[in-house]
PDB file of all heavy atoms in Angstrom:
ATOM      1  N   SER V   1      -1.299  -9.770 -16.059  1.00  0.00           N
ATOM      2  CA  SER V   1      -1.742 -10.801 -15.115  1.00  0.00           C
ATOM      3  C   SER V   1      -3.240 -11.047 -15.258  1.00  0.00           C
ATOM      4  O   SER V   1      -3.702 -12.186 -15.115  1.00  0.00           O
ATOM      5  CB  SER V   1      -1.386 -10.416 -13.676  1.00  0.00           C
ATOM      6  OG  SER V   1      -2.183  -9.349 -13.228  1.00  0.00           O
ATOM      7  N   PHE V   2      -3.996  -9.998 -15.566  1.00  0.00           N
ATOM      8  CA  PHE V   2      -5.438 -10.137 -15.776  1.00  0.00           C
ATOM      9  C   PHE V   2      -5.740 -11.046 -16.964  1.00  0.00           C
ATOM     10  O   PHE V   2      -6.686 -11.826 -16.930  1.00  0.00           O
ATOM     11  CB  PHE V   2      -6.062  -8.756 -15.993  1.00  0.00           C
ATOM     12  CG  PHE V   2      -7.550  -8.781 -16.203  1.00  0.00           C
ATOM     13  CD1 PHE V   2      -8.412  -8.851 -15.129  1.00  0.00           C
ATOM     14  CD2 PHE V   2      -8.084  -8.729 -17.481  1.00  0.00           C
ATOM     15  CE1 PHE V   2      -9.785  -8.872 -15.321  1.00  0.00           C
ATOM     16  CE2 PHE V   2      -9.452  -8.757 -17.689  1.00  0.00           C
ATOM     17  CZ  PHE V   2     -10.310  -8.829 -16.599  1.00  0.00           C
ATOM     18  N   LEU V   3      -4.926 -10.947 -18.009  1.00  0.00           N
ATOM     19  CA  LEU V   3      -5.115 -11.818 -19.172  1.00  0.00           C
ATOM     20  C   LEU V   3      -4.864 -13.281 -18.823  1.00  0.00           C
ATOM     21  O   LEU V   3      -5.503 -14.177 -19.378  1.00  0.00           O
ATOM     22  CB  LEU V   3      -4.169 -11.413 -20.306  1.00  0.00           C
ATOM     23  CG  LEU V   3      -4.553 -10.194 -21.109  1.00  0.00           C
ATOM     24  CD1 LEU V   3      -3.463  -9.871 -22.116  1.00  0.00           C
ATOM     25  CD2 LEU V   3      -5.875 -10.393 -21.805  1.00  0.00           C
ATOM     26  N   ILE V   4      -3.929 -13.523 -17.933  1.00  0.00           N
ATOM     27  CA  ILE V   4      -3.594 -14.896 -17.558  1.00  0.00           C
ATOM     28  C   ILE V   4      -4.652 -15.474 -16.630  1.00  0.00           C
ATOM     29  O   ILE V   4      -5.123 -16.593 -16.812  1.00  0.00           O
ATOM     30  CB  ILE V   4      -2.193 -14.962 -16.925  1.00  0.00           C
ATOM     31  CG1 ILE V   4      -1.152 -14.506 -17.948  1.00  0.00           C
ATOM     32  CG2 ILE V   4      -1.887 -16.360 -16.407  1.00  0.00           C
ATOM     33  CD1 ILE V   4       0.215 -14.240 -17.376  1.00  0.00           C
ATOM     34  N   LYS V   5      -5.017 -14.702 -15.607  1.00  0.00           N
ATOM     35  CA  LYS V   5      -6.059 -15.117 -14.664  1.00  0.00           C
ATOM     36  C   LYS V   5      -6.660 -13.847 -14.064  1.00  0.00           C
ATOM     37  O   LYS V   5      -5.988 -13.157 -13.292  1.00  0.00           O
ATOM     38  CB  LYS V   5      -5.484 -16.022 -13.577  1.00  0.00           C
ATOM     39  CG  LYS V   5      -6.548 -16.660 -12.724  1.00  0.00           C
ATOM     40  CD  LYS V   5      -6.014 -17.817 -11.928  1.00  0.00           C
ATOM     41  CE  LYS V   5      -7.177 -18.520 -11.244  1.00  0.00           C
ATOM     42  NZ  LYS V   5      -6.734 -19.683 -10.522  1.00  0.00           N
ATOM     43  N   PRO V   6      -7.891 -13.513 -14.409  1.00  0.00           N
ATOM     44  CA  PRO V   6      -8.476 -12.229 -14.010  1.00  0.00           C
ATOM     45  C   PRO V   6      -8.435 -11.932 -12.510  1.00  0.00           C
ATOM     46  O   PRO V   6      -8.267 -10.777 -12.113  1.00  0.00           O
ATOM     47  CB  PRO V   6      -9.919 -12.324 -14.511  1.00  0.00           C
ATOM     48  CG  PRO V   6      -9.843 -13.257 -15.669  1.00  0.00           C
ATOM     49  CD  PRO V   6      -8.777 -14.261 -15.304  1.00  0.00           C
ATOM     50  N   GLN V   7      -8.555 -12.955 -11.672  1.00  0.00           N
ATOM     51  CA  GLN V   7      -8.554 -12.735 -10.224  1.00  0.00           C
ATOM     52  C   GLN V   7      -7.245 -12.144  -9.717  1.00  0.00           C
ATOM     53  O   GLN V   7      -7.193 -11.554  -8.649  1.00  0.00           O
ATOM     54  CB  GLN V   7      -8.819 -14.042  -9.468  1.00  0.00           C
ATOM     55  CG  GLN V   7     -10.140 -14.694  -9.772  1.00  0.00           C
ATOM     56  CD  GLN V   7     -10.069 -15.704 -10.891  1.00  0.00           C
ATOM     57  OE1 GLN V   7      -9.431 -15.473 -11.907  1.00  0.00           O
ATOM     58  NE2 GLN V   7     -10.748 -16.827 -10.736  1.00  0.00           N
ATOM     59  N   LEU V   8      -6.169 -12.302 -10.457  1.00  0.00           N
ATOM     60  CA  LEU V   8      -4.869 -11.808  -9.998  1.00  0.00           C
ATOM     61  C   LEU V   8      -4.796 -10.287  -9.974  1.00  0.00           C
ATOM     62  O   LEU V   8      -3.930  -9.723  -9.314  1.00  0.00           O
ATOM     63  CB  LEU V   8      -3.750 -12.376 -10.878  1.00  0.00           C
ATOM     64  CG  LEU V   8      -3.528 -13.876 -10.731  1.00  0.00           C
ATOM     65  CD1 LEU V   8      -2.539 -14.372 -11.780  1.00  0.00           C
ATOM     66  CD2 LEU V   8      -3.039 -14.220  -9.343  1.00  0.00           C
ATOM     67  N   ALA V   9      -5.702  -9.616 -10.657  1.00  0.00           N
ATOM     68  CA  ALA V   9      -5.695  -8.147 -10.661  1.00  0.00           C
ATOM     69  C   ALA V   9      -6.315  -7.567  -9.398  1.00  0.00           C
ATOM     70  O   ALA V   9      -6.344  -6.344  -9.243  1.00  0.00           O
ATOM     71  CB  ALA V   9      -6.417  -7.630 -11.898  1.00  0.00           C
ATOM     72  N   ILE V  10      -6.747  -8.408  -8.479  1.00  0.00           N
ATOM     73  CA  ILE V  10      -7.408  -7.931  -7.273  1.00  0.00           C
ATOM     74  C   ILE V  10      -6.480  -7.074  -6.400  1.00  0.00           C
ATOM     75  O   ILE V  10      -6.931  -6.198  -5.677  1.00  0.00           O
ATOM     76  CB  ILE V  10      -8.000  -9.102  -6.455  1.00  0.00           C
ATOM     77  CG1 ILE V  10      -8.991  -8.586  -5.434  1.00  0.00           C
ATOM     78  CG2 ILE V  10      -6.906  -9.922  -5.798  1.00  0.00           C
ATOM     79  CD1 ILE V  10      -9.818  -9.670  -4.781  1.00  0.00           C
ATOM     80  N   SER V  11      -5.189  -7.298  -6.502  1.00  0.00           N
ATOM     81  CA  SER V  11      -4.259  -6.527  -5.671  1.00  0.00           C
ATOM     82  C   SER V  11      -3.828  -5.215  -6.321  1.00  0.00           C
ATOM     83  O   SER V  11      -3.090  -4.449  -5.704  1.00  0.00           O
ATOM     84  CB  SER V  11      -3.034  -7.374  -5.324  1.00  0.00           C
ATOM     85  OG  SER V  11      -2.395  -7.820  -6.502  1.00  0.00           O
ATOM     86  N   LEU V  12      -4.293  -4.920  -7.518  1.00  0.00           N
ATOM     87  CA  LEU V  12      -3.937  -3.662  -8.176  1.00  0.00           C
ATOM     88  C   LEU V  12      -4.279  -2.442  -7.325  1.00  0.00           C
ATOM     89  O   LEU V  12      -3.431  -1.556  -7.166  1.00  0.00           O
ATOM     90  CB  LEU V  12      -4.583  -3.561  -9.564  1.00  0.00           C
ATOM     91  CG  LEU V  12      -4.418  -2.225 -10.291  1.00  0.00           C
ATOM     92  CD1 LEU V  12      -2.951  -1.895 -10.528  1.00  0.00           C
ATOM     93  CD2 LEU V  12      -5.167  -2.232 -11.614  1.00  0.00           C
ATOM     94  N   PRO V  13      -5.490  -2.324  -6.742  1.00  0.00           N
ATOM     95  CA  PRO V  13      -5.776  -1.132  -5.943  1.00  0.00           C
ATOM     96  C   PRO V  13      -4.825  -0.947  -4.750  1.00  0.00           C
ATOM     97  O   PRO V  13      -4.464   0.179  -4.411  1.00  0.00           O
ATOM     98  CB  PRO V  13      -7.210  -1.339  -5.467  1.00  0.00           C
ATOM     99  CG  PRO V  13      -7.800  -2.299  -6.431  1.00  0.00           C
ATOM    100  CD  PRO V  13      -6.664  -3.182  -6.894  1.00  0.00           C
ATOM    101  N   VAL V  14      -4.403  -2.050  -4.154  1.00  0.00           N
ATOM    102  CA  VAL V  14      -3.498  -1.960  -3.005  1.00  0.00           C
ATOM    103  C   VAL V  14      -2.122  -1.450  -3.438  1.00  0.00           C
ATOM    104  O   VAL V  14      -1.560  -0.536  -2.825  1.00  0.00           O
ATOM    105  CB  VAL V  14      -3.375  -3.331  -2.293  1.00  0.00           C
ATOM    106  CG1 VAL V  14      -2.338  -3.284  -1.193  1.00  0.00           C
ATOM    107  CG2 VAL V  14      -4.724  -3.763  -1.762  1.00  0.00           C
ATOM    108  N   VAL V  15      -1.583  -2.023  -4.504  1.00  0.00           N
ATOM    109  CA  VAL V  15      -0.267  -1.601  -4.988  1.00  0.00           C
ATOM    110  C   VAL V  15      -0.349  -0.179  -5.535  1.00  0.00           C
ATOM    111  O   VAL V  15       0.537   0.645  -5.272  1.00  0.00           O
ATOM    112  CB  VAL V  15       0.278  -2.584  -6.048  1.00  0.00           C
ATOM    113  CG1 VAL V  15       1.624  -2.135  -6.571  1.00  0.00           C
ATOM    114  CG2 VAL V  15       0.377  -3.990  -5.468  1.00  0.00           C
ATOM    115  N   PHE V  16      -1.433   0.136  -6.245  1.00  0.00           N
ATOM    116  CA  PHE V  16      -1.624   1.495  -6.760  1.00  0.00           C
ATOM    117  C   PHE V  16      -1.689   2.500  -5.602  1.00  0.00           C
ATOM    118  O   PHE V  16      -1.027   3.537  -5.627  1.00  0.00           O
ATOM    119  CB  PHE V  16      -2.914   1.575  -7.597  1.00  0.00           C
ATOM    120  CG  PHE V  16      -3.247   2.954  -8.045  1.00  0.00           C
ATOM    121  CD1 PHE V  16      -2.626   3.513  -9.151  1.00  0.00           C
ATOM    122  CD2 PHE V  16      -4.186   3.721  -7.362  1.00  0.00           C
ATOM    123  CE1 PHE V  16      -2.926   4.793  -9.567  1.00  0.00           C
ATOM    124  CE2 PHE V  16      -4.494   4.999  -7.767  1.00  0.00           C
ATOM    125  CZ  PHE V  16      -3.866   5.537  -8.867  1.00  0.00           C
ATOM    126  N   GLY V  17      -2.484   2.189  -4.587  1.00  0.00           N
ATOM    127  CA  GLY V  17      -2.594   3.078  -3.421  1.00  0.00           C
ATOM    128  C   GLY V  17      -1.269   3.272  -2.717  1.00  0.00           C
ATOM    129  O   GLY V  17      -0.934   4.390  -2.292  1.00  0.00           O
ATOM    130  N   THR V  18      -0.502   2.208  -2.603  1.00  0.00           N
ATOM    131  CA  THR V  18       0.819   2.305  -1.979  1.00  0.00           C
ATOM    132  C   THR V  18       1.730   3.225  -2.787  1.00  0.00           C
ATOM    133  O   THR V  18       2.426   4.074  -2.225  1.00  0.00           O
ATOM    134  CB  THR V  18       1.455   0.906  -1.854  1.00  0.00           C
ATOM    135  OG1 THR V  18       0.567   0.063  -1.120  1.00  0.00           O
ATOM    136  CG2 THR V  18       2.794   0.967  -1.162  1.00  0.00           C
ATOM    137  N   LEU V  19       1.705   3.079  -4.105  1.00  0.00           N
ATOM    138  CA  LEU V  19       2.521   3.951  -4.964  1.00  0.00           C
ATOM    139  C   LEU V  19       2.093   5.408  -4.838  1.00  0.00           C
ATOM    140  O   LEU V  19       2.947   6.310  -4.798  1.00  0.00           O
ATOM    141  CB  LEU V  19       2.423   3.517  -6.422  1.00  0.00           C
ATOM    142  CG  LEU V  19       3.463   2.537  -6.924  1.00  0.00           C
ATOM    143  CD1 LEU V  19       3.258   2.263  -8.406  1.00  0.00           C
ATOM    144  CD2 LEU V  19       4.859   2.999  -6.656  1.00  0.00           C
ATOM    145  N   VAL V  20       0.791   5.648  -4.776  1.00  0.00           N
ATOM    146  CA  VAL V  20       0.303   7.026  -4.627  1.00  0.00           C
ATOM    147  C   VAL V  20       0.778   7.611  -3.307  1.00  0.00           C
ATOM    148  O   VAL V  20       1.238   8.761  -3.253  1.00  0.00           O
ATOM    149  CB  VAL V  20      -1.243   7.072  -4.745  1.00  0.00           C
ATOM    150  CG1 VAL V  20      -1.786   8.411  -4.298  1.00  0.00           C
ATOM    151  CG2 VAL V  20      -1.676   6.781  -6.164  1.00  0.00           C
ATOM    152  N   ILE V  21       0.683   6.840  -2.236  1.00  0.00           N
ATOM    153  CA  ILE V  21       1.145   7.324  -0.925  1.00  0.00           C
ATOM    154  C   ILE V  21       2.637   7.635  -0.960  1.00  0.00           C
ATOM    155  O   ILE V  21       3.074   8.677  -0.469  1.00  0.00           O
ATOM    156  CB  ILE V  21       0.802   6.294   0.180  1.00  0.00           C
ATOM    157  CG1 ILE V  21      -0.704   6.261   0.392  1.00  0.00           C
ATOM    158  CG2 ILE V  21       1.536   6.614   1.473  1.00  0.00           C
ATOM    159  CD1 ILE V  21      -1.192   5.121   1.252  1.00  0.00           C
ATOM    160  N   PHE V  22       3.423   6.761  -1.561  1.00  0.00           N
ATOM    161  CA  PHE V  22       4.866   7.011  -1.684  1.00  0.00           C
ATOM    162  C   PHE V  22       5.121   8.259  -2.528  1.00  0.00           C
ATOM    163  O   PHE V  22       6.008   9.047  -2.230  1.00  0.00           O
ATOM    164  CB  PHE V  22       5.574   5.805  -2.308  1.00  0.00           C
ATOM    165  CG  PHE V  22       5.981   4.759  -1.314  1.00  0.00           C
ATOM    166  CD1 PHE V  22       5.042   4.062  -0.575  1.00  0.00           C
ATOM    167  CD2 PHE V  22       7.317   4.460  -1.120  1.00  0.00           C
ATOM    168  CE1 PHE V  22       5.418   3.099   0.330  1.00  0.00           C
ATOM    169  CE2 PHE V  22       7.709   3.478  -0.218  1.00  0.00           C
ATOM    170  CZ  PHE V  22       6.754   2.805   0.515  1.00  0.00           C
ATOM    171  N   ARG V  23       4.337   8.422  -3.591  1.00  0.00           N
ATOM    172  CA  ARG V  23       4.482   9.598  -4.458  1.00  0.00           C
ATOM    173  C   ARG V  23       4.170  10.871  -3.680  1.00  0.00           C
ATOM    174  O   ARG V  23       4.895  11.857  -3.775  1.00  0.00           O
ATOM    175  CB  ARG V  23       3.571   9.458  -5.680  1.00  0.00           C
ATOM    176  CG  ARG V  23       3.666  10.602  -6.669  1.00  0.00           C
ATOM    177  CD  ARG V  23       2.861  10.259  -7.920  1.00  0.00           C
ATOM    178  NE  ARG V  23       2.679  11.373  -8.813  1.00  0.00           N
ATOM    179  CZ  ARG V  23       3.541  11.713  -9.773  1.00  0.00           C
ATOM    180  NH1 ARG V  23       4.637  11.024  -9.941  1.00  0.00           N
ATOM    181  NH2 ARG V  23       3.285  12.744 -10.555  1.00  0.00           N
ATOM    182  N   TRP V  24       3.105  10.842  -2.914  1.00  0.00           N
ATOM    183  CA  TRP V  24       2.706  12.030  -2.157  1.00  0.00           C
ATOM    184  C   TRP V  24       3.687  12.325  -1.022  1.00  0.00           C
ATOM    185  O   TRP V  24       3.933  13.474  -0.695  1.00  0.00           O
ATOM    186  CB  TRP V  24       1.306  11.878  -1.626  1.00  0.00           C
ATOM    187  CG  TRP V  24       0.246  11.987  -2.688  1.00  0.00           C
ATOM    188  CD1 TRP V  24       0.439  12.168  -4.027  1.00  0.00           C
ATOM    189  CD2 TRP V  24      -1.153  11.904  -2.509  1.00  0.00           C
ATOM    190  NE1 TRP V  24      -0.758  12.206  -4.680  1.00  0.00           N
ATOM    191  CE2 TRP V  24      -1.763  12.054  -3.784  1.00  0.00           C
ATOM    192  CE3 TRP V  24      -1.969  11.727  -1.396  1.00  0.00           C
ATOM    193  CZ2 TRP V  24      -3.142  12.026  -3.951  1.00  0.00           C
ATOM    194  CZ3 TRP V  24      -3.346  11.701  -1.580  1.00  0.00           C
ATOM    195  CH2 TRP V  24      -3.914  11.851  -2.841  1.00  0.00           C
ATOM    196  N   ASN V  25       4.242  11.279  -0.406  1.00  0.00           N
ATOM    197  CA  ASN V  25       5.228  11.496   0.668  1.00  0.00           C
ATOM    198  C   ASN V  25       6.500  12.149   0.145  1.00  0.00           C
ATOM    199  O   ASN V  25       7.110  12.959   0.823  1.00  0.00           O
ATOM    200  CB  ASN V  25       5.584  10.176   1.356  1.00  0.00           C
ATOM    201  CG  ASN V  25       4.540   9.757   2.351  1.00  0.00           C
ATOM    202  OD1 ASN V  25       3.712  10.543   2.787  1.00  0.00           O
ATOM    203  ND2 ASN V  25       4.565   8.493   2.712  1.00  0.00           N
ATOM    204  N   SER V  26       6.912  11.767  -1.046  1.00  0.00           N
ATOM    205  CA  SER V  26       8.185  12.268  -1.561  1.00  0.00           C
ATOM    206  C   SER V  26       8.037  13.564  -2.362  1.00  0.00           C
ATOM    207  O   SER V  26       8.993  14.307  -2.497  1.00  0.00           O
ATOM    208  CB  SER V  26       8.869  11.210  -2.438  1.00  0.00           C
ATOM    209  OG  SER V  26       8.112  10.973  -3.604  1.00  0.00           O
ATOM    210  N   GLN V  27       6.832  13.848  -2.883  1.00  0.00           N
ATOM    211  CA  GLN V  27       6.705  14.983  -3.791  1.00  0.00           C
ATOM    212  C   GLN V  27       5.566  15.931  -3.455  1.00  0.00           C
ATOM    213  O   GLN V  27       5.349  16.896  -4.169  1.00  0.00           O
ATOM    214  CB  GLN V  27       6.540  14.472  -5.232  1.00  0.00           C
ATOM    215  CG  GLN V  27       7.726  13.666  -5.693  1.00  0.00           C
ATOM    216  CD  GLN V  27       7.443  12.935  -6.992  1.00  0.00           C
ATOM    217  OE1 GLN V  27       6.311  12.811  -7.426  1.00  0.00           O
ATOM    218  NE2 GLN V  27       8.500  12.436  -7.617  1.00  0.00           N
ATOM    219  N   ARG V  28       4.788  15.687  -2.433  1.00  0.00           N
ATOM    220  CA  ARG V  28       3.693  16.571  -2.018  1.00  0.00           C
ATOM    221  C   ARG V  28       2.767  16.934  -3.177  1.00  0.00           C
ATOM    222  O   ARG V  28       2.677  18.067  -3.599  1.00  0.00           O
ATOM    223  CB  ARG V  28       4.231  17.853  -1.368  1.00  0.00           C
ATOM    224  CG  ARG V  28       5.167  17.623  -0.230  1.00  0.00           C
ATOM    225  CD  ARG V  28       4.398  17.126   0.978  1.00  0.00           C
ATOM    226  NE  ARG V  28       5.350  16.906   2.068  1.00  0.00           N
ATOM    227  CZ  ARG V  28       5.348  15.844   2.824  1.00  0.00           C
ATOM    228  NH1 ARG V  28       4.487  14.897   2.631  1.00  0.00           N
ATOM    229  NH2 ARG V  28       6.212  15.707   3.787  1.00  0.00           N
ATOM    230  N   LYS V  29       2.054  15.958  -3.676  1.00  0.00           N
ATOM    231  CA  LYS V  29       1.155  16.148  -4.813  1.00  0.00           C
ATOM    232  C   LYS V  29      -0.270  16.423  -4.330  1.00  0.00           C
ATOM    233  O   LYS V  29      -0.607  16.165  -3.176  1.00  0.00           O
ATOM    234  CB  LYS V  29       1.158  14.908  -5.722  1.00  0.00           C
ATOM    235  CG  LYS V  29       2.505  14.606  -6.336  1.00  0.00           C
ATOM    236  CD  LYS V  29       2.818  15.613  -7.401  1.00  0.00           C
ATOM    237  CE  LYS V  29       4.114  15.269  -8.089  1.00  0.00           C
ATOM    238  NZ  LYS V  29       4.409  16.102  -9.209  1.00  0.00           N
TER     239      LYS V  29
END
């Protein structure tokens, strides 16, 4: 998405953070 339009990568930290929280909730990392 960054290659298509760089501004679209702005939501990466939010989605990444959500995945980390889900990972920690299910696996206690």
